[in-house]
Amino acid sequence: MKTNPFVLTTVFALGALLTGTVPGRADILYVGVAGDSTIEKFTSSGTGTIFATEAAHSFPEGLAFDSAGRLYAANAGDNTIARFTTGGVGTLFASSGLVSPSGVAFDSAGNLFVANTSGQTIEKFTPAGVASVFVPFGAGLSQPLGLAFDRTGILYEADFGNNRIWKFTTAGVGSIFASGGGLNQPTGLAFDAAGNLFVANLGNNTIEKFTTGGVGSLFASTGAQVPVGLAVDSAGNLYAACNTGTIQKFTTGGVASVFASGLNDPQFLAFTNDAGVPLPLANQIPEPSAVALMLGTGGLLALRRRLLISLPA
């Protein structure tokens, strides 16, 4: 049986898109700089520029991109969520029910989840900004901070006050994923492509790594001074925003280097590529709209034509 080259081309191209590894694209890192009420962005070589100045808001913390490439920022200083165009123009997205919001994350349907730190809840906002309580007060959360989704749609939460990692089903049913051990005031969360969960520990200056089964081990301590936000680039390197004013970069083996310095209280991180397409958050497959954005209309039509050509009559 002959192998059709069109099939191979399509499979490899689509596979690259679904894993976020689009050839010829460089990663762009965004960071909420709370001390300056700005959001900065960095090229893959570490060159930084100001993406947005939040004149109407203050103390940006959590960052997340929707599938259209718009950036959402949780502003702990004025209890709002701001939304920014790809050009850095900001508008108010939400404020209802928020008390010191921090970590944010999108599910595959485009709903935004917010760690409501002082309110001890997790809030949910539809793409239109309609609010509801996903995890209510009294459900066991203590100063929720970082949020991240895995590829199955399970939401993970860093519980700063209880030294725990919670996980929640799509219906909001919670269970403890990890507690004690190396967890010490956990803040930021990030998944790699293999499904391993990384946790920044503010209390002991470490980063822990957990398997999908919840088995934890020390990933890094050198370079992780007061870590807050975490993010993984398309090559699998882990980045940590540290309250000492730096962003640290860790190889897959845990070797640290300084990626950027001189920042005034950096908080959480988020990636896009240089075309403005969000990298898959956690280890998620991008939404269909994100794949469409990566390919463009012409690319989708070409892909469809190749698939049709490859199919037997």
Side-chain angles (χ1 to χ4, degrees):
M1 177 177 168
K2 286 187 175 181
T3 301
N4 192 317
F6 288 114
V7 175
L8 289 178
T9 302
T10 300
V11 168
F12 286 130
L14 187 56
L17 289 169
L18 294 179
T19 57
T21 55
V22 181
R25 287 298 181 193
D27 297 338
I28 304 295
L29 178 65
Y30 291 74
V31 55
V33 183
D36 293 332
S37 288
T38 61
I39 297 171
E40 296 200 26
K41 66 177 184 178
F42 291 86
T43 65
S44 55
S45 63
T47 301
T49 56
I50 292 178
F51 171 72
T53 300
E54 300 207 66
H57 308 288
S58 63
F59 213 85
E61 292 198 359
L63 301 178
F65 285 92
D66 67 12
S67 60
R70 295 172 298 192
L71 178 64
Y72 293 68
N75 294 294
D78 67 352
N79 303 319
T80 63
I81 305 294
R83 181 171 65 189
F84 295 89
T85 66
T86 54
V89 178
T91 55
L92 176 66
F93 173 72
S95 59
S96 176
L98 297 175
V99 188
S100 300
S102 52
V104 292
F106 278 99
D107 68 9
S108 59
N111 299 301
L112 179 67
F113 292 75
V114 181
N116 205 25
T117 305
S118 294
Q120 317 289 3
T121 65
I122 297 176
E123 302 291 310
K124 177 182 176 180
F125 295 88
T126 68
V130 178
S132 61
V133 179
F134 180 69
V135 179
F137 178 81
L141 301 186
S142 178
Q143 295 179 274
L145 285 177
L147 299 178
F149 279 97
D150 71 9
R151 64 162 58 97
T152 67
I154 300 297
L155 178 65
Y156 289 72
E157 174 264 342
D159 218 44
F160 183 85
N162 281 332
N163 298 323
R164 294 174 177 171
I165 305 299
W166 285 83
K167 65 178 184 178
F168 296 91
T169 68
T170 55
V173 178
S175 59
I176 295 174
F177 173 73
S179 64
L183 294 175
N184 191 326
Q185 297 182 330
T187 53
L189 302 177
F191 282 97
D192 67 11
N196 299 302
L197 178 65
F198 294 85
V199 181
N201 286 306
L202 190 73
N204 63 3
N205 301 321
T206 64
I207 297 173
E208 293 287 309
K209 177 181 178 180
F210 290 88
T211 66
T212 54
V215 178
S217 60
L218 177 66
F219 175 72
S221 55
T222 302
Q225 294 88 6
V226 203
V228 183
L230 299 178
V232 176
D233 69 12
S234 60
N237 300 301
L238 180 70
Y239 293 71
C242 299
N243 278 167
T244 51
T246 66
I247 298 174
Q248 299 287 329
K249 177 180 178 180
F250 297 88
T251 67
T252 54
V255 178
S257 60
V258 177
F259 177 73
S261 61
L263 300 172
N264 187 5
D265 196 9
Q267 294 290 312
F268 288 81
L269 304 170
F271 270 109
T272 66
N273 67 26
D274 57 10
V277 178
L279 298 188
L281 296 180
N283 57 334
Q284 290 176 301
I285 292 174
E287 300 170 49
S289 51
V291 176
L293 182 59
M294 284 188 266
L295 282 170
T297 304
L300 282 173
L301 291 174
L303 176 61
R304 180 174 179 272
R305 281 196 297 271
R306 287 193 173 191
L307 286 171
L308 290 173
I309 292 170
S310 349
L311 293 174

